[in-house]
Amino acid sequence: MTLKPVHLAVYDTFADWETGFATAYLARNGYPVRTVGASATEPVVSIGGLRVLPDLALDAVRPEDSSLLILPGADLWDTSEDLAPFARTAREFLAAGTPVAAICGATAGLARVGLLDDRDHTSAVSFYLAATGYGGGGRYVDADAVTDGGLITAGPTEPVAFAREVLGLLGVYEGEVLDAWYRLFHDSDPSAYAVLEKATAGR
């Protein structure tokens, strides 16, 4: 079965460490990962200095052609309106039933367009989102990562938990295998390696 691609948003100052676990294990399990920028002709530079030429322009991405939209954090989420089109695209994805995963500053971007008002969610800290003036403070959950329906949120220090939620939502790993994957990469638990190797042998 051919899987629809996962679309990873990229923009100047994107936090390159936040999505690597998720995209690596999605790609290893058959999901094409396509980068999406404001333009497909202008490269962007991450916080870590990685230069990326997006595969696609944002206006060319359709929810029906995607398995998931991933929005990493970036300084620009809090310093300009440049990334507002990515938040609006997230709204279109969720409305169409295609999931969205947002981490770090991207959660504030979603808060500003009302996407966290009626969904359980998390972020770096509650007062970070409260500063956006959003109406979802009562749905804030103090957790490493949260999935509510088709929306995943996490804070900047939780790339492994973020990936756990992504892999679980898309059915890449489930149950004890997903738990073992998380324990291996989050806790360096050697016993988890054997569980994961046995479950994924032959994939």
Side-chain angles (χ1 to χ4, degrees):
M1 180 179 67
T2 301
L3 298 170
K4 293 180 181 179
V6 168
H7 290 97
L8 171 66
V10 292
Y11 20 72
D12 283 333
T13 73
F14 78 91
D16 37 38
W17 70 89
E18 292 177 343
T19 60
F21 285 98
T23 56
Y25 277 84
L26 288 169
R28 292 188 73 172
N29 286 277
Y31 281 92
V33 177
R34 301 288 180 260
T35 53
V36 180
S39 162
T41 59
E42 296 292 330
V44 300
V45 180
S46 75
I47 289 177
L50 299 181
R51 188 177 177 87
V52 178
L53 181 64
D55 296 313
L56 299 165
L58 185 62
D59 60 10
V61 178
R62 301 287 179 266
E64 60 268 25
D65 299 325
S66 182
S67 292
L68 172 72
L69 175 65
I70 300 178
L71 300 174
D75 291 343
L76 289 178
W77 283 113
D78 297 320
T79 59
S80 78
E81 293 296 316
D82 291 357
L83 303 188
F86 289 91
R88 291 193 291 269
T89 296
R91 180 194 286 128
E92 294 170 7
F93 268 59
L94 291 170
T98 303
V100 172
I103 185 168
C104 189
T107 61
L110 299 192
R112 292 185 185 99
V113 296
L115 291 176
L116 304 186
D117 288 355
D118 301 310
R119 295 176 173 90
D120 288 346
H121 59 275
T122 194
S123 185
V125 288
S126 60
F127 57 79
Y128 169 64
L129 291 186
T132 68
Y134 84 129
R139 302 293 295 267
Y140 187 89
V141 181
D142 188 10
D144 54 11
V146 171
T147 299
D148 187 337
L151 179 64
I152 295 167
T153 51
T157 61
E158 299 293 346
V160 181
F162 181 69
R164 177 196 64 207
E165 298 301 301
V166 167
L167 299 175
L169 183 66
L170 294 184
V172 173
Y173 301 136
E174 299 175 319
E176 70 171 354
V177 179
L178 182 62
D179 178 65
W181 184 92
Y182 179 74
R183 287 188 289 111
L184 178 63
F185 289 103
H186 187 266
D187 304 326
S188 300
D189 181 349
S191 69
Y193 183 79
V195 175
L196 193 61
E197 280 295 293
K198 180 179 179 181
T200 58
R203 277 198 180 188

